[in-house]
Amino acid sequence: MLTDLQKIGIGLNAFGLFFLFLGMILFFDHGLLAIGNILFVSGLSCIIGLGNTFTFFFQATPQKIKGSVLFFGGILTILWFSSIIGMLLEGAGLFFLFGGFIPVILGFLRRLPVVSIVFTLPIIGTLLGKLEGQQLPL
């Protein structure tokens, strides 16, 4: 069961993703993207806790360090320089940070009734099979 703080964190993450989406739709607006980033990181810390969030972002593995530097560098780039370059940096950082979850997500999506039909198409099935089977950065 979720605690009240975790429920708040889910709401903060939802609002953060909404503001990020809205910021991208409105031609990479600096303010909306910054609010979305702040809400996303604060929501993540509410869901898994401050200590676990700090441990997640600052683990001593090369992939996590690279992902954290790119992610937080993207946030700073959005605030001070260019929104588009900042979002590209953040996207690369999120890939390095959450890349280990991609096979798990694909395995879950294969079990959903409607999505599994799309995954059985020849081109998509072979591409996702290679993605699910390969070792992604942890």
Side-chain angles (χ1 to χ4, degrees):
M1 197 65 189
L2 295 174
T3 64
D4 288 338
L5 187 62
Q6 289 173 329
K7 291 176 186 175
I8 291 170
I10 290 172
L12 288 173
N13 270 336
F15 278 118
L17 292 175
F18 172 72
F19 276 106
L20 285 172
F21 176 73
L22 193 63
M24 286 188 284
I25 293 296
L26 295 174
F27 302 111
F28 292 96
D29 182 52
H30 291 279
L32 291 174
L33 292 174
I35 291 171
N37 285 324
I38 291 169
L39 290 174
F40 177 76
V41 172
S42 62
L44 186 65
S45 64
C46 285
I47 291 173
I48 65 175
L50 285 174
N52 290 337
T53 303
F54 187 79
T55 303
F56 177 75
F57 279 112
F58 300 109
Q59 289 177 354
T61 62
Q63 295 294 331
K64 295 285 185 173
I65 292 171
K66 189 185 306 182
S68 296
V69 167
L70 285 171
F71 180 73
F72 289 115
I75 291 175
L76 293 176
T77 304
I78 285 173
L79 291 174
W80 290 329
F81 301 113
S82 171
S83 298
I84 297 173
I85 295 171
M87 286 302 293
L88 290 174
L89 288 174
E90 274 188 42
L94 287 175
F95 177 76
F96 283 118
L97 287 171
F98 295 105
F101 298 117
I102 291 175
V104 175
I105 293 169
L106 290 177
F108 172 74
L109 289 175
R110 283 189 189 273
R111 293 186 193 99
L112 293 176
V114 176
V115 180
S116 64
I117 296 170
V118 175
F119 281 11
T120 58
L121 295 173
I123 296 172
I124 296 173
T126 55
L127 177 68
L128 293 178
K130 289 179 183 177
L131 245 182
E132 193 173 10
Q134 78 182 13
Q135 182 68 9
L136 294 173
L138 292 176

